[in-house]
């Protein structure tokens, strides 16, 4: 009869446990608008391409491979992802019965405690006991299942954060690599300016010594030369600092970064499709992470609700006790027991209700955080698309300016050779040319950097775990 009651209780509890209390999860709905500032929804997008096809420079690819394999921050976050997966196992453990064992042994005369036999009648005895016990807390209200759901969401969010860091590093390293090429070009321009201004300075000094030059010309040439000379160590310092930064990101000791090509090559190769994919919200790892944080917060609300209800546990134990272990198990007494327990709150000063309201507010905060992340993502994409379009127009004008300055320098030198003008006009033309060339290099870098920036903003360079599993 007792066993029938216990089995009936267990069966009823298991049946009831099929229903879990708490809000059912629904993914937030923030669709991408059909019309988008900067570009429309497109079926063809760079985000569908592997990163090697978008960032096709061999030196850059080798650098990125080192980043993905040896970056210490990525390695640390990968361990955090693994730890989060193990936490799911910890949270799921109460879904299963647990068992434990125990035993005791002692030796003495007229023992008063800590043994199976309280008194030994004046004889030396060695009593002992051994037992096995098991317990199972029935998840009737779904508290454990809500905890498991929250832990699983947190584990997936940790993986999404890992992917987000990977994508962020890809963008930072690719843009840093392009910036190195820009600095190389600007350094070359500065050295060319030093050479040209040195020639002008020598010429004006000779003219001044010959009595046919002026101090104004000499001072102007000296100012231009000194300014150009100051740029050389400044650019060399920037190059060294950026190389060290990229080396550390790649898990290397600070040192030289191999690179080749020119910004012209990258600007001309930037004609890849850049439309916005309709599923951009599902691709971006930062948005995915915020969505999973929201799901974990939703599960925490369910846990807070189940705390209002009692906990029901089934327990069982069996074992034996012997008055004297020196005689083995002869004369031992066996024992067993089964039971059920119910514990629940009566009064706790509003702690449970306060906890529920706190979790509810945390969910609403996570929801607002998710929505803000989506809006920020849309703004980032729109800004980069607009910047890329406008930079193309700006570069065309700057290229025209550089071409005009180059023609001005050529004509000034030609007139000077023919004796129709003095060399001061050449110096004046050069003072317009070199800054324009430096500025053009900076614009080409900004334009080329739009590619890795936009690629990562559109969710390229990774595939979420649920997408991989679906394939």
């Amino acid at each position: 009869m007792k066993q029938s009651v216990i089995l009936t209780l267990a069966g009823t509890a298991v049946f009831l446990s099929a229903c879990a209390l708490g809000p059912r999860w629904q993914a937030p709905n923030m669709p991408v608008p059909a019309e988008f500032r900067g570009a429309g929804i497109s079926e063809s997008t760079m985000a569908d391409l592997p990163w090697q096809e978008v960032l096709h420079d061999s030196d850059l690819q080798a650098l990125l491979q080192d980043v993905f394999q040896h970056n210490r921050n990525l390695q640390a976050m990968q361990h955090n992802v693994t730890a989060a997966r193990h936490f799911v196992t910890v949270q799921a453990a109460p879904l299963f019965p647990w068992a434990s064992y125990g035993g005791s042994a002692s030796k003495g005369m007229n023992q008063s405690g800590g043994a199976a036999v309280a008194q030994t009648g004046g004889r030396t005895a060695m009593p002992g006991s051994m037992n096995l016990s098991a317990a199972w807390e029935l998840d009737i209200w779904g508290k454990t299942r809500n905890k498991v759901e929250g832990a699983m969401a947190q584990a997936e969010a940790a993986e999404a954060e890992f992917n987000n860091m990977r994508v962020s590093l890809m963008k930072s390293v690719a843009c840093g690599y392009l910036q190195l090429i820009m600095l190389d070009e600007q350094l070359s321009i500065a050295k060319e300016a030093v050479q040209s201004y040195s020639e002008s300075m020598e010429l004006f000094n000779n003219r001044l010594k010959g009595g046919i030059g002026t101090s104004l010309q000499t001072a102007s040439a000296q100012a231009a030369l000194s300014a150009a000379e100051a740029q050389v160590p400044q650019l060399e310092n920037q190059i060294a600092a950026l190389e060290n930064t990229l080396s550390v990101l790649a898990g290397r000791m600070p040192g030289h970064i191999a690179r080749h090509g020119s910004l012209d090559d990258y600007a001309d190769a930037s004609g890849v499709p850049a439309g916005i994919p309709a599923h951009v919200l599902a691709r971006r790892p930062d948005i995915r992470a915020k969505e999973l944080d929201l799901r974990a917060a939703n599960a925490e609300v369910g846990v807070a609700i189940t705390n209002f209800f009692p906990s029901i546990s089934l327990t069982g134990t069996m074992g034996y006790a012997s008055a004297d272990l020196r005689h083995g198990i002869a004369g031992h007494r066996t024992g067993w027991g089964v039971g059920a327990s119910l514990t629940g709150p009566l009064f706790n000063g509003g702690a449970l209700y306060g906890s529920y309201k706190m979790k509810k507010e945390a969910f609403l905060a996570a929801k607002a955080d998710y929505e803000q992340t989506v809006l920020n993502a849309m703004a980032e994409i729109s800004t980069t698309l607009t910047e890329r379009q406008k930079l193309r127009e700006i570069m065309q004008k700057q290229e025209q300016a550089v071409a005009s300055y180059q023609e001005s320098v050529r004509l000034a030198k030609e007139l000077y050779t023919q004796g129709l003008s003095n060399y001061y006009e050449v110096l004046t033309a050069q003072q317009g040319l070199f800054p324009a060339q430096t500025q053009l290099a900076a614009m080409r870098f900004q334009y080329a950097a739009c590619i890795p920036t936009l690629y990562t903003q559109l969710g390229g360079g990774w595939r979420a775990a649920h997408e991989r599993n679906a394939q």
Side-chain angles (χ1 to χ4, degrees):
M1 175 65 71
K2 293 181 179 178
Q3 292 179 343
S4 299
V5 173
I6 294 173
L7 291 175
T8 301
L9 177 61
T12 303
V14 171
F15 173 76
L16 290 175
S17 67
C19 300
L21 299 178
R24 188 177 297 275
W25 167 250
Q26 290 184 343
N29 182 25
M30 287 192 69
V32 178
E35 294 295 331
F36 197 84
R37 185 178 185 180
I41 302 301
S42 174
E43 294 296 330
S44 178
T45 170
M46 70 167 70
D48 292 328
L49 301 174
W51 66 268
Q52 293 89 343
E53 295 185 18
V54 177
L55 309 174
H56 46 72
D57 183 291
S58 58
D59 287 332
L60 176 56
Q61 289 182 4
L63 181 62
L64 285 172
Q65 290 290 0
D66 282 349
V67 170
F68 297 149
Q69 294 177 12
H70 305 299
N71 181 269
R72 300 305 192 271
N73 291 330
L74 273 181
Q75 291 177 355
M77 186 160 284
Q78 181 63 69
H79 289 301
N80 291 337
V81 172
T82 304
R85 291 171 181 163
H86 290 315
F87 185 66
V88 176
T89 303
V90 174
Q91 294 292 69
L95 291 174
F96 306 93
W98 62 267
S100 64
Y101 63 89
S104 65
S106 62
K107 185 176 182 180
M109 181 177 65
N110 292 328
Q111 297 180 4
S112 60
V117 182
Q119 295 293 329
T120 66
R123 297 187 305 274
T124 298
M126 187 176 175
S129 66
M130 294 185 62
N131 66 82
L132 295 173
S133 60
W136 184 20
E137 182 178 350
L138 303 177
D139 191 34
I140 295 177
W141 320 114
K143 177 190 291 186
T144 300
R145 278 168 292 159
N146 280 322
K147 288 183 178 180
V148 171
E149 181 181 356
M152 291 178 64
Q154 290 172 352
E156 292 184 34
E159 183 175 359
E161 290 290 355
F162 171 81
N163 288 328
N164 188 43
M165 176 177 283
R166 188 177 186 273
V167 166
S168 297
L169 283 171
M170 179 191 302
K171 171 190 169 183
S172 298
V173 171
C175 291
Y177 180 88
L178 294 174
Q179 188 177 0
L180 277 178
I181 296 178
M182 177 200 73
L183 292 173
D184 288 341
E185 294 190 7
Q186 290 181 338
L187 180 60
S188 177
I189 294 170
K191 289 181 177 180
E192 182 181 351
V194 168
Q195 178 64 32
S196 296
Y197 292 145
S198 296
E199 294 174 357
S200 299
M201 183 65 189
E202 182 180 0
L203 175 63
F204 290 138
N205 272 332
N206 292 335
R207 289 171 62 86
L208 182 61
K209 291 177 182 179
I212 58 174
T214 65
S215 298
L216 173 61
Q217 294 175 338
T218 304
S220 297
Q222 182 62 61
L225 175 60
S226 298
E229 288 176 333
Q231 288 183 359
V232 172
Q234 180 181 5
L235 289 168
E236 290 175 339
N237 179 61
Q238 293 178 17
I239 290 172
L242 185 52
E243 284 185 323
N244 290 342
T245 298
L246 294 178
S247 296
V248 171
L249 291 178
R252 306 172 183 173
M253 294 298 292
H256 175 72
I257 297 296
R259 54 192 179 272
H260 69 278
S262 66
L263 290 174
D264 280 335
D265 299 332
Y266 290 96
D268 293 339
S270 299
V272 295
I276 299 176
H279 49 290
V280 63
L281 297 186
R283 304 180 69 119
R284 283 183 56 126
D286 56 340
I287 295 178
R288 176 66 176 162
K290 293 300 182 182
E291 179 183 342
L292 290 165
D293 287 341
L294 180 60
R295 183 166 188 171
N298 182 76
E300 288 295 322
V301 174
V303 173
I305 292 175
T306 59
N307 286 334
F308 287 96
F309 296 86
S311 299
I312 300 176
S313 300
L314 302 178
T315 60
T317 183
M318 64 177 296
Y320 77 86
S322 174
D324 198 331
L325 292 176
R326 292 176 297 177
H327 303 296
I329 62 173
H332 72 275
R333 304 184 189 93
T334 59
W336 63 272
V338 293
S341 65
L342 182 146
T343 58
L346 285 179
F347 177 77
N348 54 22
L352 291 179
Y353 183 73
S355 176
Y356 164 72
K357 297 298 291 183
M358 180 181 68
K359 298 298 183 182
K360 187 68 175 178
E361 293 299 324
F363 169 80
L364 295 176
K367 183 174 183 292
D369 195 16
Y370 166 81
E371 292 173 349
Q372 187 63 48
T373 301
V374 171
L375 292 176
N376 290 341
M378 296 295 98
E380 287 176 358
I381 295 171
S382 177
T383 299
T384 304
L385 286 170
T386 303
E387 180 183 12
R388 184 168 178 261
Q389 177 183 358
K390 297 304 179 181
L391 279 172
R392 179 68 266 181
E393 299 175 8
I394 295 171
M395 280 197 317
Q396 290 175 349
K397 297 300 182 181
Q398 189 65 21
E399 288 169 353
Q400 293 176 3
V402 169
S404 297
Y405 278 122
Q406 288 174 333
E407 179 66 9
S408 176
V409 170
R410 187 190 68 81
L411 291 175
K413 287 183 177 180
E414 183 176 322
L415 291 174
Y416 173 76
T417 302
Q418 296 174 358
L420 300 178
S421 67
N422 59 51
Y423 204 82
Y424 189 72
E425 294 181 4
V426 177
L427 175 63
T428 302
Q430 289 174 336
Q431 288 177 318
L433 172 62
F434 296 128
Q437 288 177 323
T438 300
Q439 188 175 5
L440 178 59
M443 291 177 179
R444 284 172 174 167
F445 158 69
Q446 295 176 30
Y447 183 76
C450 285
I451 296 304
T453 300
L454 187 59
Y455 179 66
T456 54
Q457 288 175 345
L458 293 175
W462 77 288
R463 285 183 177 272
H466 66 283
E467 291 179 346
R468 291 197 302 266
N469 295 334
Q471 292 180 346

